[in-house]
Amino acid sequence: HVQLVESGGDSVQAGGSLRLSCTASVDTGSEYCMGWFRQVPGKEREGVAAIVLRGGHTYPNAGSTYAADAVKGRFIISQDNAKNMVHLQMNSLKPDDTAMYYCAAALRRGNWYEPNYNYWGRGTQVTVS
């Protein structure tokens, strides 16, 4: 069983930056794909970014990263295998980025932006005003 713990959420002003971190209880290099999702009350959880750590069925190229159109050019996902961590650098934050952010690991099937992951963290709140 993989445990994921997010950190780094905070309240910031529009235009500011935050870096979210996800610490995994296993070697992240052994994972196929890890992602960041976000959710606001009353809306579905949406994929923000993902990174392929080990080539697999849908995404064969390790190191590939993906980002939703809404955050492309502002958010960057990266890995730190030495520390079993995945980070989400968020720049030029907007009020629309306000949400609970979740880390996910072990994509089972389908596309990275679909919530078909085996493991989820409990989330970290980001508020942009």
Side-chain angles (χ1 to χ4, degrees):
H1 182 73
V2 177
Q3 291 183 318
L4 304 172
V5 179
E6 302 95 337
S7 62
D10 205 345
S11 296
V12 297
Q13 291 189 336
S17 298
L18 284 174
R19 188 173 89 148
L20 305 184
S21 296
C22 173
T23 303
S25 60
V26 296
D27 177 8
T28 51
S30 68
E31 290 296 317
Y32 164 39
C33 181
M34 292 185 68
W36 283 95
F37 283 72
R38 64 187 183 186
Q39 188 170 25
V40 297
K43 293 190 176 181
E44 292 187 354
R45 194 168 293 191
E46 64 171 348
V48 175
I51 184 166
V52 177
L53 301 169
R54 174 180 55 80
H57 42 83
T58 303
Y59 302 104
N61 299 317
S64 297
T65 60
Y66 302 89
D69 287 344
V71 306
K72 208 167 282 185
R74 300 189 296 122
F75 290 11
I76 301 170
I77 188 170
S78 62
Q79 63 183 101
D80 184 344
N81 281 347
K83 298 181 179 179
N84 293 341
M85 297 177 77
V86 172
H87 303 289
L88 183 69
Q89 178 66 43
M90 306 190 297
N91 301 319
S92 302
L93 283 161
K94 305 175 182 180
D96 283 350
D97 296 318
T98 296
M100 183 71 78
Y101 282 72
Y102 298 91
C103 178
L107 179 65
R108 294 194 303 272
R109 66 182 188 279
N111 298 299
W112 68 265
Y113 48 83
E114 298 170 309
N116 300 321
Y117 292 73
N118 285 334
Y119 306 106
W120 293 85
R122 300 181 68 176
T124 186
Q125 178 68 37
V126 172
T127 303
V128 185
S129 58

